[in-house]
Each structure stands twice: as C-alpha cells, then as structure tokens.
Amino acid sequence: MAKAAVIPTRMELKKLKGRLQTARRGHKLLKDKRDELMRQFMDIIRLNKELRTKVEQGLTDAFGSLQVASSIMSPEMLEQALLYPRQSVELDMTFKNIMSVNVPQYKFQTQNTDPSEIYPYGFAQTSGELDDALDNMARVFQDMLELAQIEKTMQLLAEEIEKTRRRVNALEYVMIPELETNIKYITMKLAENENSTKVRLLKVKDMVLQDAHHYQQ
Amino acid sequence: MRPMFKIGVIGGRETVVGFKALGLDTFPVESLEEAKATLRKMTDAGDPSYAIIYVEENLAAGLQSEINRWKDSPTPAIILIPGREGSIGLGQSALKAAVERAIGTNLLGDD
C-alpha cells in the first residue's frame, strides 16, 4: 500500500529509487549469507549428533565402571581416593569467525602431561576397577570437550541464522514491495500532474486565441 | 598470556565424583534450588570464569531459563550430560530445538 505520507516529488522519487537499490543489494547479500550459514549449520548438526551419541554412550559406560568400582570399595574409601585430584585442567579459549559469528575454540591443558598421572591415589587401597573407571572417564572427556565446542557453535549459528532469515524476509516481503509501490505511486502522480498541466496549457491557448482573433476551431 | 578458563560440572554427588579426578571443578548438588544457585554463581562474572559448564540432564529440566540466558553469548557453553541413570534425551532435544530455531522446522525427524 502506498502511504499517504509520501510526497510525490522528483526528489522523493530519486531518494526512494536509491533506497530500493540498496535494499535489493542488501537482500541479495543477506540471502547469500543465510545460505552459507545454513550449509555450515547442516555440517555442524550432523557432527553434533554423532558426538552426542558418542559422549552419552561413553559416559554411560564410564558411570557403569564407576558403579562397579564403588560397589567393590566402600563409599568412604572411594571419596577419599578421589578427594584430592592430582590433575588439574585449564582451558584455553580462542575464537573462530564463521561468517561473522564468533565461535569459541577450546584447547585444554592438563598440568600433568603424563597420562598415568590421572590416578590421584595410591594403588594399595583401591581396586583396579577404579583405575578402569577413571581411564574411561579420561577418554570420554576428550569427546565431551569437542561436544561443548560443537554445541556452542551450533547454538550461536542458530541464533545468527534466525536473525539473518528474519532480515531477509523483512526485506523481501515488506521493505522492497513497499518501496516499489511508493515509487509507482510517485511516478503515476507525476505523470498525472504533467498531463493536467498540458491540458491546462491547451485550454489557456484556446482561450487566448479566442480573445485575440475570435478564432474558432 | 591469555587468561585461562575453567570447566565446571554440576550434578548429583555420584555423577560428579568421576570428573573430579580429571581435574574439573565439580559442584555436587542435592536439590534443584542448590543447582540453580550454583549455576548462577558460576555464570555471574567470577574472575577465573567458567568457559564450559556441564550440567546433569535431570537437573537441567528445571534450569531451562538459566540455561537459555546464556544460549546466545559465546561464553559460557552450558552442555547437558546424561546422569548416572543414563540419557533421558534432553541433550538430543536441545539439538532439535536449535535446528527448529534456525530453520523453522524440524529436519531431523523424530528418531
């Protein structure tokens, strides 16, 4: 619909035409952005799904072996064995830019690099099952870290896609049609004005001729 | 040198005990209120901040609003993990929600 607020002047027309062109270009760019984001998102979803299944399976196994360990040892002993972790984990985070979305990349560092150092207890009073459980846990942790990265990436991309999609739609279905109708309205109004001026001139000419020469057509 | 970040785990006592040995910061909680308070404390601008927080699934059901608050910011990543009793599918449904949000429809099907 043409808004009543549009003033049918050439200046306004020129301005609107410029805006329409910008809107069209923005629309095209945003559409490309959306498509590329979507493509990346699809890959990430697939990866995320695989990883999640893997992590859930791995954790279930790890908990299972921990359960076995805790059924062999007394709960106090278990608690005591794990009370002071020898290992400590620190996380280094950098950001990667995917289509102007900053997604985190994690790199973790353990203070002890020796893999046998994950057991924070002496072997004398604990069962071998506990070692297995911790081993499982350490293995699944790698995947958990990756899962965290992928899942966060997925969430951030989802947000960006939603935003881009809305912008594309707003441009395509609101901005551009509105600009087009306004331009059409102004063009028609201008043509109409021109017509009426022409008609008025003809009429005046007739009247002038009539006055001067009593000229009849 | 860049500041290092920490990884936290919130869950039932039995769930978190295994993670402790790996050197993660564990927060055993007994109730939903406690979990909520812990999560809030961890996310609200602690100096050595947490970049990843793993939350046990059966707690997460009651923490949705807290978790959603951080969905759109780069840190922290709040990731659901299955508890001792095994997966209850909340983690998978988070994935579906993200897909639905991005595309507007669920492409993955209901498997």
Side-chain angles (χ1 to χ4, degrees), chain A residues 85-126:
Chain A
R86 204 186 291 180
Q87 187 72 280
S88 91
V89 172
E90 277 188 326
L91 195 67
D92 189 17
M93 186 166 53
T94 50
F95 285 95
K96 196 175 103 185
N97 194 330
I98 300 181
M99 303 291 293
S100 82
V101 188
N102 280 325
V103 299
Q105 302 270 305
Y106 302 124
K107 214 160 72 191
F108 84 112
Q109 283 177 352
T110 48
Q111 257 172 10
N112 276 318
T113 41
D114 185 357
S116 68
E117 290 282 307
I118 61 167
Y119 311 115
Y121 45 81
F123 294 122
Q125 291 171 4
T126 55

Side-chain angles (χ1 to χ4, degrees), chain B residues 67-111:
Chain B
I67 292 172
N68 285 340
R69 260 174 69 201
W70 301 102
K71 228 167 205 167
D72 298 338
S73 54
T75 56
I78 299 176
I79 308 297
L80 309 186
I81 54 169
R84 265 229 139 143
E85 301 81 24
S87 164
I88 53 172
L90 257 182
Q92 297 282 5
S93 69
L95 192 136
K96 261 184 214 151
V99 174
E100 239 177 83
R101 186 172 175 201
I103 302 172
T105 171
N106 186 10
L107 284 183
L108 296 180
D110 284 321
D111 55 325

Side-chain angles (χ1 to χ4, degrees), chain A residues 6-123:
Chain A
V6 190
I7 324 151
T9 57
R10 278 185 197 284
M11 206 162 98
E12 190 70 18
L13 181 67
K14 195 166 153 38
K15 213 162 76 188
L16 284 182
K17 275 187 174 162
R19 277 179 61 194
L20 180 65
Q21 209 178 13
T22 317
R24 284 226 171 98
R25 213 169 72 205
H27 176 245
K28 187 185 167 301
L29 284 172
L30 280 172
K31 219 159 116 183
D32 288 352
K33 181 182 173 185
R34 185 196 61 187
D35 290 349
E36 173 60 16
L37 274 174
M38 208 71 111
R39 195 185 62 75
Q40 303 231 12
F41 187 66
M42 282 318 194
D43 291 347
I44 283 169
I45 290 172
R46 208 164 303 126
L47 209 63
N48 189 336
K49 215 174 170 195
E50 272 166 35
L51 261 177
R52 183 152 273 287
T53 320
K54 203 163 140 200
V55 164
E56 282 181 358
Q57 189 55 46
L59 270 180
T60 312
D61 290 352
F63 286 141
S65 47
L66 205 62
Q67 186 93 52
V68 173
S70 67
S71 64
I72 289 177
M73 296 163 60
S74 69
E76 292 82 25
M77 283 294 299
L78 186 75
E79 191 101 341
Q80 210 174 54
L82 300 173
L83 192 55
Y84 287 108
R86 204 186 291 180
Q87 187 72 280
S88 91
V89 172
E90 277 188 326
L91 195 67
D92 189 17
M93 186 166 53
T94 50
F95 285 95
K96 196 175 103 185
N97 194 330
I98 300 181
M99 303 291 293
S100 82
V101 188
N102 280 325
V103 299
Q105 302 270 305
Y106 302 124
K107 214 160 72 191
F108 84 112
Q109 283 177 352
T110 48
Q111 257 172 10
N112 276 318
T113 41
D114 185 357
S116 68
E117 290 282 307
I118 61 167
Y119 311 115
Y121 45 81
F123 294 122

Side-chain angles (χ1 to χ4, degrees), chain A residues 48 52 147-155, chain B residues 79-80 94:
Chain A
N48 189 336
R52 183 152 273 287
L147 178 72
Q149 183 177 314
I150 293 289
E151 199 153 315
K152 193 77 219 182
T153 308
M154 184 189 73
Q155 284 168 5
Chain B
I79 308 297
L80 309 186

